Amino acid sequence: MGWVFIFILEGLHMDYNFKEIESKWQKYWDDKNFYKADEAGDKPKYYALEMFPYPSGRLHMGHVRNYSIGDVIARYKRMRGYNVLHPMGWDAFGLPAENAAIKNGIHPSTWTWNNIDNMRAQLKSLGISYDWDREVATCHPEYYRWTEWLFLQLYKKGLAYRKKSSVNWCPSCKTVLANEQVVDGKCERCGTVIRKKELEQWFFKITDYADKLLEGLDRLPGWPDKVKIMQRNWIGRSEGAEINFRTETGEEIKIFTTRPDTVFGVSYIVLAPEHPLVAKLVKGTEYEKTVNDYIYELQAMNEITRTSSETEKTGMFIGSYAVNPLNGERIPIWIANYVLMEYGTGAVMGVPAHDERDFAFAKKYDLPVKIVIRPEGENLTPETMTNAYTGDGIMVNSHGFDGMTSGEMLGKISNHIEEKGYGKKKVNYKLRDWLISRQRYWGAPIPIVYCDHCGAVPVPEEDLPVLLPENVAFTGKGESPLSECEPFVNTTCPKCGRPARRETDTMDTFMCSSWYFERYTDPRNEERPFDFDRAKYWLPVDQYVGGVEHAILHLMYARFFTKFLYDIGLAPVDEPFTNLLTQGMVLKDGIKMSKSKGNIVSPEEIVAKYGADTTRLFVLFAAPPERDLEWNDQGVEGCYRFLSRVYKQVSDMKDRYIQSGWDFDDLDDEDKRLRFKTHSTIKKVTSDMDGKFGFNTAISAIMELSNALNDYTASKREHANSGVVSELICNMLIMLAPFAPHMTEELWHDLGHKDSIHRQAWPGFDESALTRDETEVVIQVSGKVRGKLNVPSGADDETVKKLALENERIRSFINDKPIKNVIVIPGRLINIVV
RNA sequence: GCCGAAGUGGUGGAAUAGGCAGACGCGCUGGACUCAAAAUCCAGUAGGGCUCACACCCUGUGCGGGUUCGACUCCCGCCUUCGGCACCA
């Protein structure tokens, strides 16, 4: 069935032969290295970038959308006179390659490079204007050599370190994951429920950059608020105080609170069940067994239920008391499931009167409620409270602070605590250090050697790269393939020369993608990751385009890396991406396209059937870039029809087309109207392209222009003004060029132009063509539209008012009622209020 | 629960420093071309009323209020959908 349909389409549209046109120009651009970028010339630079893909083997519609958006931006900016860098590469390390190896026996390297070849060809078939000379692949030794080198720089600065801790383990991927890669307690990649495991792993101290990462967000007005908010929440900075309570046996318990103003209202303390003090305090007491049973019960629960806010709060008294340093009160020590060892100090103070969670907990376990903040003009009593009072008010029961507002109290209490030595001011973050070890083969090796005498020793920089060995067994069982590869593991210590073992974990692939946009500025540098001056020329990326799913992961890691590189003098900027566009998903039948749902539309098939220009046009026309896009086969055909129509329209005009020097001296009204349309379209499309990226409305404006030309020629026939028509066609093609680069290039040459349409300057509009003798204004009577009126352009308010009131139709609506007011909006509207 | 975005014809979506709601595309209906169909071209297409017809009138942007000469747009209170976070002390 399929081929019959294609045959019919082709048979009847020989005039617009996209197959021939597209392959012809793709070859031309490829041969000429047409979109090559260099640092020469005095044009201002523009760095347009789309997130590079994982080379899965095939592009999906999301890629097509992503790269079409980026390409339109790159092409538009070139036409606006910028020196544009628009590169592409491959985020080529990662698990699927290894899984393919296990399943099919293909080496991850072979699998990956084959996929890259496929996808590169697909990108070329879409006509995306990349500088292919700058292509990078993170799995290339000349790339990961510098990934390893960057690891060493972090190590030198103490930002890469090893520690044993409870980490996220995905039993299916057989590797650990960063916190950011765990979604709802499941592996972000495969959806398997993760387990906690105690392991010694490598971390990057991204937490050292928490404040810088937060501060930088304030300097990114070109980012969507949504993404900035997500990052802020993820970093989760909260200011408060760490207060030292002491048990009656003299043990210190540090608690963290953001509400030190309520410290006089503490009626109990809660430790995380894993808190090291718990075992110590219960040892040998009557509580030991019940407490241990409770902890055991909690540990048996899986991570999701354990940490869900839905799970009921439970806890128990552990038999000890602590003393509140501020008022000397004796308070019981509890443990509870809702207190997490990983955050703050793993211990909190319970203030039931002024914290919802504490209130619920206190009610459940019958703990005292002590009020220390009274809302102004109201009285609270513990007996009648049904909720915690979390607002501001006047301090009570707080010795030395009574009568103050809670705001004043908050300003003073932390200093007071510090002065008295009860504790200190403290800032806490939700952000954790970035775990980068992966127990997998297909990644950049961590350049560390373990020596029995010297400990962990970094591989000397001149010995980089630590190459991945080729001959490795992929069984899918046991540990990482590297750890079973003896020739790789066994080495000598760079320090003392004695036998040593290599680190067999590889780095998280997010590390590779955290600096690729910097490598693009100088992709073949063999001395350094990239040259400072070349990077200084191109960076920062002016426009970054990608899916919102990277709002936290990639975009935060890349910012962290850039800040680090900036701090050690390698990068010229500390924020890599000035403007960010997060594109929406491509949906089919209202849901995301996915293999499991069986609703995939293959870009290859669409391009084969309708051509790259149509495909690009559709994904840009069907929705604004940041919104989700509903796939619609008939919509694609609509775009195809439009391009065919333009092709025919322009081809029909070939003989009468005038390249330049159009004469507009002798125009009638119809000619003037068409010129008006040409120039108002230029104005509209230009404003849509600039900043807002309203590609859907830009395309619809070009469609309107084509329709206007159609109506004009239908009415004028052989009397059509060649100058006006030529001007329209010339500008229409240039404006359409970023969207449909092949067809416009073909037509451009058909019309006799010798240079490429993609080297043309973006048109400006002629203000004089936009001025008209008469303007249509709307007349309202009491806010309802009752008529329209042509008035001379630039007529003053009084004249317009007079004309409106004289209008026969309008008078019938006024109907002798007294006129209360007349509002005139020049050039637009008159409202007569009766 | 908290944070964020969005609700407009049959449909994807236009129009917001407050000023003609429904641009453009899809679909649908009618017509031209054709032996016929496909493709293409032309016309119509928010709903309702009235009319032989043109004209015209009323109602309409999730719901309920409000501000205003005038509200899809601003304010208050809801509802729904989608994303993100989720015991963070």
Side-chain angles (χ1 to χ4, degrees), chain A residues 458-608:
Chain A
V459 174
E461 291 178 11
E462 57 274 19
D463 292 350
L464 298 182
V466 174
L467 285 170
L468 278 175
E470 285 283 318
N471 292 320
V472 171
F474 299 99
T475 58
K477 294 182 199 95
E479 286 188 57
S480 139
L482 280 182
S483 64
E484 281 152 28
C485 178
E486 293 295 324
F488 177 81
V489 175
N490 296 324
T491 183
T492 51
C493 172
K495 228 182 198 169
C496 69
R498 278 183 270 217
R501 285 158 293 110
R502 281 191 194 283
E503 168 67 65
T504 57
D505 283 353
T506 52
M507 291 183 238
D508 182 1
T509 56
F510 278 105
M511 162 122 193
C512 308
S513 57
S514 290
W515 69 284
Y516 77 105
F517 44 90
E518 276 133 5
R519 182 68 176 174
Y520 280 143
T521 66
D522 188 14
R524 304 291 174 255
N525 197 321
E526 294 181 5
E527 314 283 307
R528 279 179 288 281
F530 50 89
D531 176 70
F532 184 86
D533 290 327
R534 294 189 74 184
K536 194 175 169 64
Y537 178 83
W538 290 114
L539 292 175
V541 172
D542 293 279
Q543 183 65 55
Y544 200 25
V545 185
V548 74
E549 65 273 18
H550 290 110
I552 295 170
L553 286 155
H554 163 60
L555 288 168
M556 198 172 64
Y557 294 147
R559 293 182 60 228
F560 162 58
F561 249 67
T562 304
K563 285 179 184 299
F564 169 69
L565 293 174
Y566 178 78
D567 286 349
I568 62 169
L570 238 72
V573 295
D574 77 325
E575 281 294 343
F577 314 120
T578 307
N579 295 292
L580 175 69
L581 173 66
T582 51
Q583 110 235 7
M585 290 186 296
V586 182
L587 311 177
K588 178 92 198 293
D589 312 318
I591 50 170
K592 192 180 175 174
M593 286 188 186
S594 77
K595 229 183 255 173
S596 58
K597 297 270 191 268
N599 61 346
I600 301 255
V601 178
S602 141
E604 270 171 324
E605 280 174 34
I606 300 296
V607 170

Side-chain angles (χ1 to χ4, degrees), chain A residues 706-749:
Chain A
S706 161
N707 291 346
L709 174 63
N710 205 40
D711 293 347
Y712 174 87
T713 45
S715 136
K716 281 254 177 168
R717 301 183 172 276
E718 64 275 12
H719 304 295
N721 182 305
S722 295
V724 173
V725 171
S726 298
E727 184 194 34
L728 183 150
I729 286 174
C730 175
N731 286 306
M732 178 170 72
L733 288 181
I734 293 176
M735 287 190 284
L736 195 55
F739 302 101
H742 309 86
M743 190 195 82
T744 50
E745 184 82 303
E746 175 77 8
L747 289 172
W748 189 250
H749 284 80

Side-chain angles (χ1 to χ4, degrees), chain A residues 169-173 177 182-195:
Chain A
W169 171 263
C170 172
S172 161
C173 297
L177 300 169
V182 179
V183 179
D184 289 334
K186 293 173 191 158
C187 173
E188 178 232 7
R189 276 195 33 75
C190 67
T192 309
V193 174
I194 63 113
R195 291 211 307 260

Side-chain angles (χ1 to χ4, degrees), chain A residues 1 35 39 118 123 292 308 315 392 402 543 605 672 689 743 745 810 829:
Chain A
M1 284 303 281
Y35 302 106
E39 290 90 62
N118 264 332
L123 285 174
N292 284 341
S308 163
D392 293 332
D402 289 348
Q543 183 65 55
E605 280 174 34
K672 281 186 192 161
M689 302 292 278
M743 190 195 82
E745 184 82 303
I810 297 308
L829 171 142

Side-chain angles (χ1 to χ4, degrees), chain A residues 353-405:
Chain A
H354 306 293
D355 181 277
E356 288 298 351
R357 203 176 29 196
D358 295 346
F359 186 84
F361 194 76
K363 284 283 163 205
K364 178 168 177 181
Y365 293 106
D366 208 20
L367 289 154
V369 175
K370 187 182 168 192
I371 288 157
V372 291
I373 299 174
R374 191 171 51 76
E376 223 147 338
E378 230 182 288
N379 227 338
L380 290 178
T381 54
E383 297 74 32
T384 56
M385 279 175 93
T386 54
N387 280 97
Y389 177 72
T390 56
D392 293 332
I394 307 296
M395 302 310 302
V396 293
N397 298 323
S398 302
H399 181 70
F401 296 90
D402 289 348
M404 274 184 194
T405 66

